[in-house]
Amino acid sequence: SALFETGDYKDSVENFNKCIDKPGSEFLIGLPLLGLEKNYEKLSLTEDALKTCDKIAAEYSAGETAAEALYRKTRLLYGMGRYEEARDVVTEVMAKIDKAKYLDRFHYELGWIYTSLGRVDEALDEFLWVERESADINLRAGAISKIGDIYFDRKVYRKALDSYEAV
């Protein structure tokens, strides 16, 4: 972790791999795998990062570590412009998880994915869900801002202004 913070991503990968090779619990193995994914992302080894997310999800399918890995995978795919794949990950995960901490994040990401796919009505539904259901103030503020943007683009200026003022 300290190597990652100093920007020494290659040595960080090596050290995380040493941790992964030892037997242990989800905490002892899952967290180094998440660290490994983050290093791959910093090294622009996106496909390796995606594979690591898949490995975590397969090994810890019911845990919070898997939810975090799939959230990261969604963001990686979105960042690569692979919106339909990102949507598929999100919709599959949302059908399985009940972790409120991640559910609102997945709804938020799905809103952005739908926006990028030009499916604005569905995006609006996702952002409205986040506005109503999320306890995360940052996610709610981001969702409300995007709701305002959608209304502004539709020339529904009163609702857009209401959203912007709410933030």
Side-chain angles (χ1 to χ4, degrees):
S1 180
L3 291 169
F4 176 84
E5 294 300 325
T6 63
D8 191 353
Y9 305 122
K10 288 181 181 178
D11 283 343
S12 183
V13 164
E14 185 178 312
N15 280 290
F16 276 124
N17 276 322
K18 288 178 187 175
C19 295
I20 292 165
D21 291 338
K22 298 178 190 231
S25 66
E26 177 177 342
F27 178 78
L28 292 175
I29 305 300
L31 291 180
L33 280 168
L34 288 170
L36 188 60
E37 179 279 327
K38 193 176 263 189
N39 278 280
Y40 286 147
E41 189 177 347
K42 289 289 188 181
L43 291 167
S44 298
L45 299 170
T46 313
E47 289 303 321
D48 289 331
L50 290 170
K51 287 177 189 172
T52 303
C53 290
D54 287 338
K55 179 178 180 167
I56 295 167
E59 291 182 21
Y60 306 106
S61 60
E64 196 167 307
T65 305
E68 176 67 26
L70 292 169
Y71 174 72
R72 290 183 187 190
K73 180 178 181 178
T74 300
R75 294 189 48 95
L76 284 166
L77 290 168
Y78 181 86
M80 297 167 71
R82 293 163 57 179
Y83 306 124
E84 291 181 8
E85 288 177 73
R87 182 207 57 220
D88 292 346
V89 171
V90 170
T91 54
E92 182 179 330
V93 170
M94 287 172 55
K96 294 179 182 176
I97 69 167
D98 64 351
K99 305 262 189 265
K101 175 180 174 184
Y102 288 92
L103 192 57
D104 58 354
R105 290 184 195 182
F106 283 116
H107 277 283
Y108 184 78
E109 293 304 321
L110 191 54
W112 280 103
I113 292 164
Y114 282 144
T115 300
S116 296
L117 289 170
R119 296 167 59 177
V120 181
D121 289 335
E122 290 161 293
L124 183 59
D125 289 342
E126 296 302 327
F127 291 126
L128 288 168
W129 186 97
V130 173
E131 178 187 23
R132 284 187 318 270
E133 303 294 330
S134 180
D136 184 318
I137 188 126
N138 294 319
L139 283 181
R140 289 186 70 228
I144 294 167
S145 292
K146 190 60 184 166
I147 291 166
D149 293 345
I150 291 169
Y151 286 138
F152 184 84
D153 290 344
R154 291 181 170 178
K155 298 181 179 14
V156 183
Y157 299 121
R158 181 75 247 160
K159 283 188 173 185
L161 184 59
D162 290 344
S163 292
Y164 296 139
E165 286 178 348
V167 174

